[in-house]
Amino acid sequence: MHSSLSLLAVACVASAATTYRVSIDTSKTFQTIDGFGFSEAFQRANQIINLKEPVRSQLVDLLFNKTSGVGFTILRNGIGSSPNSTNDWMNTIEPNAPATPDSTPTYNWDGDDSGQFWIAQQAANYGVKTFYADAWSAPGFMKNNSNDAGGGYLCGSPGAPACASGDWRKAYADYLTQYVEYYKSVNISITHLGFLNEPDLVTAYASMEMTGAMAADFIKILKPALEEKGFGDQVKIACCDATGWGTQRNMSRDILADKDAAPLVDVFTTHLYTSKIDSPLPSAGQHAWMSEYADLGGNWSTNWFSANASAHNDTKAMAGDGLTWARNIHTGLTTGNLSAFLWWVATQDTATNGNNNEKLVLVDDANNTYTVAKRLWAFAQFSRAARPGAVRVGVDVAPLTSACKPAKPDDTAAATASPLRTIGFLNANGDVSTVIINDSAEDVAVDVDTGAKNAVNAEVWVTDASRDLERLPSIITLEGRVDVQKVPAHGVLSVIVRAS
Ligand SMILES: *[C@@H]1O[C@H](CO)[C@@H](O)[C@H](O)[C@H]1NC(C)=O
Ligand SMILES: *[C@@H]1O[C@H](CO)[C@@H](O)[C@H](O)[C@H]1NC(C)=O
Ligand SMILES: *[C@@H]1O[C@H](CO)[C@@H](O)[C@H](O)[C@H]1NC(C)=O
Ligand SMILES: *[C@@H]1O[C@H](CO)[C@@H](O)[C@H](O)[C@H]1NC(C)=O
Ligand SMILES: *[C@@H]1O[C@H](CO)[C@@H](O)[C@H](O)[C@H]1NC(C)=O
Ligand SMILES: *[C@@H]1O[C@H](CO)[C@@H](O)[C@H](O)[C@H]1NC(C)=O
Ligand SMILES: *[C@@H]1O[C@H](CO)[C@@H](O)[C@H](O)[C@H]1NC(C)=O
Ligand SMILES: *[C@@H]1O[C@H](CO)[C@@H](O)[C@H](O)[C@H]1NC(C)=O
Ligand SMILES: *[C@@H]1O[C@H](CO)[C@@H](O)[C@H](O)[C@H]1NC(C)=O
Ligand SMILES: *[C@@H]1O[C@H](CO)[C@@H](O)[C@H](O)[C@H]1NC(C)=O
Ligand SMILES: *[C@@H]1O[C@H](CO)[C@@H](O)[C@H](O)[C@H]1NC(C)=O
């Protein structure tokens, strides 16, 4: 461990343009990172499963391998609530209603879980340890609209009309616990459990409405149900996967207002479709996860940076760009205080949703091929640099008045004006890293001085229009200085200094 390790990125350019020194300050610590991930819910998992070897294994390796792929570290499963598994439906483990909420339920594990069990096994083989199981809805018979789709409330929820069939809250908690039990029986530890998905939206697929107060009520039933089956420590409760930051902020606020429920929630989860990150979510120590987001509006694009759209500030046309997602992740981890950032679905085919841009990888099972969007590499730049358990650390950016001569280190006004986006991490194993985004149109030369006399290795990775997480040659000197690199125009550079 190098508690006093500092990384200095010194920009040295011949031109008169302002250059910047980036200093990583490991003594200034922020949130702990849980990881980066995606879901393969809605039968998307089958698009990987249906590929033939060796292509299938190559795609799995691309997603999970931390030395040759992205190194994703979180998998979000959808807990099915539907009677069947066609299209976007996921079948439930409790297809038939018991006579009453108190009757013994009949559960059924099909060993497939809409393809998600296979993906989970692959992830586990690559060392993934964080599995977030999230229910979009309770089965229809537990709801006041008798359907797992089309919104409706969990019967028994305070403030919802009473259901003739009774109060199904405990039955729902037991049902969710049973899903964890099934995964345990096949050697996968579900670490995070959510009981809602976009509770502020009514949709034609699985959906269930809840207010923050209803969620707080249910959390107080779910926690003892988990404890009863011995999952009190293994499983963290996550809530509420609201459609946007604003609605999740309100749900988090309402849960925190319930002093009995608040300590039982470990993670506040949100999507960003209806509102974006402006400040941290309220928290009494809960981690914040951006648990689902994607470019739903664009056509399939593998672009890194759309220059013309950028020149016109056409944010819709840039919504799927790789560089846009590098910025989104950066904003989430800095402004949003996020501990995790999850894309929606990793894979999709051309036929689904008009071949839109909601996937990272376009899979063509018929031709046994896949195509990767540059967004995937934006995730890799972060996922390689910040492994689970990494702590985000301080970064100071100061301009150099002339090439390689630092200005006053406390020149914060000038630092604020820097066009560089930077972030730093101290990993649990002592590795220190920085991810640097250069938004502007020219390359910048960077000299990274780690100050790490005993660092063994420095890895420099770059993604831009022409490169996908390409390793740049680099030498770390005995003094801990990394040789001159370039943060390319509209590019992302990650420097990872290995402690051992
Ligand atoms: C599958 O379940 C959904 C949700 O209940 C239902 O709307 C749909 O008709 C079912 N599809 C088939 C093929 O049974
Ligand atoms: C990840 O990739 C590396 C390098 O290609 C390989 O040696 C390693 O076996 C892979 N890891 C797994 C778990 O397959
Ligand atoms: C379920 O409860 C909500 C909230 O009161 C209500 O708006 C809705 O009409 C109910 N649905 C049915 C089918 O009763
Ligand atoms: C789970 O682990 C046990 C004990 O190692 C083993 O016998 C069993 O086959 C494993 N099950 C699966 C589905 O991998
Ligand atoms: C959050 O709650 C406040 C006050 O209760 C309300 O004014 C605001 O509209 C809510 N925001 C969202 C996004 O629901
Ligand atoms: C950031 O999140 C952590 C939990 O990960 C929390 O303890 C801390 O208070 C949050 N910071 C801010 C400024 O909200
Ligand atoms: C997607 O492509 C279709 C057909 O080419 C076009 O009509 C539509 O405007 C495009 N959508 C976006 C968001 O670019
Ligand atoms: C450039 O972007 C603008 C605004 O999005 C658009 O109207 C124009 O057609 C684009 N030009 C080209 C050459 O794509
Ligand atoms: C670009 O557009 C976004 C939203 O569409 C807006 O918030 C931002 O201020 C615009 N930036 C410039 C430089 O016009
Ligand atoms: C993929 O397969 C389809 C038939 O399923 C064929 O029409 C198409 O040309 C193939 N595309 C490529 C790129 O091979
Ligand atoms: C990116 O490169 C250009 C050109 O060298 C420079 O003007 C700009 O400030 C750089 N951005 C950063 C973050 O240094």
Side-chain angles (χ1 to χ4, degrees):
M1 276 292 207
H2 314 288
S3 53
S4 62
L5 192 81
S6 75
L7 268 177
L8 297 178
V10 184
C12 309
V13 291
S15 78
T18 310
T19 56
Y20 298 88
R21 162 168 287 184
V22 178
S23 309
I24 306 298
D25 179 0
T26 56
S27 70
K28 194 189 285 177
T29 58
F30 301 95
Q31 78 274 23
T32 300
I33 303 300
D34 292 318
F36 302 87
F38 59 82
S39 183
E40 281 287 87
F42 285 26
Q43 316 300 328
R44 305 300 189 261
N46 291 320
Q47 290 159 350
I48 301 183
I49 293 170
N50 292 339
L51 287 168
K52 293 176 195 67
E53 294 294 359
V55 176
R56 182 169 78 168
S57 291
Q58 286 161 3
L59 177 50
V60 169
D61 198 71
L62 173 69
L63 295 170
F64 294 116
N65 195 311
K66 65 176 179 180
T67 54
S68 64
V70 178
F72 278 117
T73 47
I74 301 179
L75 181 68
R76 174 175 177 244
N77 274 4
I79 301 176
S81 53
S82 304
N84 62 76
S85 279
T86 54
N87 304 321
D88 290 352
W89 309 106
M90 295 180 283
N91 65 295
T92 174
I93 57 169
E94 193 178 1
N96 301 307
T100 71
D102 297 329
S103 308
T104 305
T106 306
Y107 298 121
N108 172 46
W109 170 244
D110 64 6
D112 180 55
D113 197 22
S114 298
Q116 297 175 110
F117 171 53
W118 187 88
I119 299 290
Q121 280 184 308
Q122 310 311 305
N125 289 344
Y126 278 92
V128 170
K129 293 194 165 51
T130 306
F131 293 92
Y132 175 30
D134 188 25
W136 267 237
S137 173
F141 61 81
M142 297 186 186
K143 296 167 66 186
N144 82 320
N145 61 337
S146 307
N147 189 339
D148 75 304
Y153 290 88
L154 180 62
C155 294
S157 291
C163 301
S165 60
D167 178 349
W168 290 87
R169 291 173 300 164
K170 176 66 163 69
Y172 184 41
D174 288 342
Y175 159 90
L176 295 169
T177 305
Q178 182 60 40
Y179 182 92
V180 176
E181 191 86 57
Y182 278 133
Y183 267 79
K184 184 189 171 196
S185 74
V186 289
N187 304 332
I188 305 274
S189 286
I190 300 296
T191 53
H192 295 75
L193 181 64
F195 53 96
L196 295 173
N197 175 74
E198 304 187 347
D200 52 330
L201 182 71
V202 173
T203 64
Y205 49 85
S207 53
M208 181 166 77
E209 297 162 86
M210 262 203 199
T211 62
M214 289 177 183
D217 166 76
F218 183 70
I219 286 161
K220 290 181 284 190
I221 295 169
L222 179 58
K223 184 68 179 182
L226 285 166
E227 282 169 345
E228 208 176 285
K229 292 284 161 58
F231 293 125
D233 293 330
Q234 175 190 311
V235 179
K236 292 177 161 50
I237 294 179
C239 195
C240 313
D241 282 79
T243 57
W245 200 253
T247 44
Q248 181 60 43
R249 176 191 286 125
N250 282 2
M251 292 193 79
S252 294
R253 175 198 64 197
D254 294 347
I255 291 168
L256 291 174
D258 184 324
K259 65 179 188 339
D260 297 323
L264 309 181
V265 188
D266 299 283
V267 181
F268 285 126
T269 49
T270 187
H271 305 177
L272 296 177
Y273 297 112
T274 52
S275 61
K276 308 294 179 247
I277 292 169
D278 51 11
S279 61
L281 288 174
S283 167
Q286 287 86 359
H287 284 197
W289 285 14
M290 201 303 292
S291 52
E292 181 195 315
Y293 191 29
D295 172 27
L296 299 179
N299 293 318
W300 168 245
S301 158
T302 58
N303 272 4
W304 174 253
F305 175 68
S306 303
N308 178 57
S310 175
H312 291 84
N313 194 31
D314 183 345
T315 50
K316 272 192 184 155
M318 296 166 74
D321 283 2
L323 182 60
T324 298
W325 284 86
R327 292 170 180 166
N328 289 346
I329 297 168
H330 178 269
T331 301
L333 268 50
T334 53
T335 311
N337 192 31
L338 292 174
S339 288
F341 197 104
L342 282 68
W343 180 266
W344 165 219
V345 285
T347 64
Q348 205 155 272
D349 56 20
T350 52
T352 305
N353 297 342
N355 197 21
N356 73 350
N357 217 17
E358 71 184 294
K359 55 209 175 264
L360 294 172
V361 180
L362 171 62
V363 173
D364 182 342
D365 285 330
N367 294 318
N368 205 41
T369 57
Y370 63 85
T371 312
V372 174
K374 296 282 268 189
R375 293 184 290 281
L376 184 88
W377 300 112
F379 275 85
Q381 291 284 150
F382 286 88
S383 190
R384 291 283 194 94
R387 307 300 296 166
V391 174
R392 181 165 83 83
V393 294
V395 180
D396 297 312
V397 180
L400 299 171
T401 47
S402 62
C404 297
K405 289 246 181 75
K408 285 181 296 175
D410 59 350
D411 192 350
T412 48
T416 308
S418 164
L420 277 182
R421 295 171 205 238
T422 57
I423 190 166
F425 305 100
L426 173 59
N427 279 275
N429 66 358
D431 293 355
V432 171
S433 62
T434 180
V435 181
I436 306 173
I437 303 174
N438 184 354
D439 286 329
S440 71
E442 301 162 49
D443 297 346
V444 185
V446 174
D447 189 310
V448 180
D449 184 352
T450 69
K453 303 276 193 284
N454 50 355
V456 296
N457 187 17
E459 294 176 14
V460 178
W461 301 92
V462 68
T463 299
D464 62 6
S466 64
R467 289 170 291 186
D468 298 336
L469 195 75
E470 192 172 300
R471 177 132 185 217
L472 300 182
S474 66
I475 297 166
I476 185 159
T477 66
L478 286 173
E479 293 75 36
R481 191 171 44 75
V482 181
D483 60 348
V484 173
Q485 305 289 340
K486 275 182 179 174
V487 184
H490 308 300
V492 183
L493 188 88
S494 298
V495 179
I496 306 168
V497 177
R498 301 285 179 206
S500 57

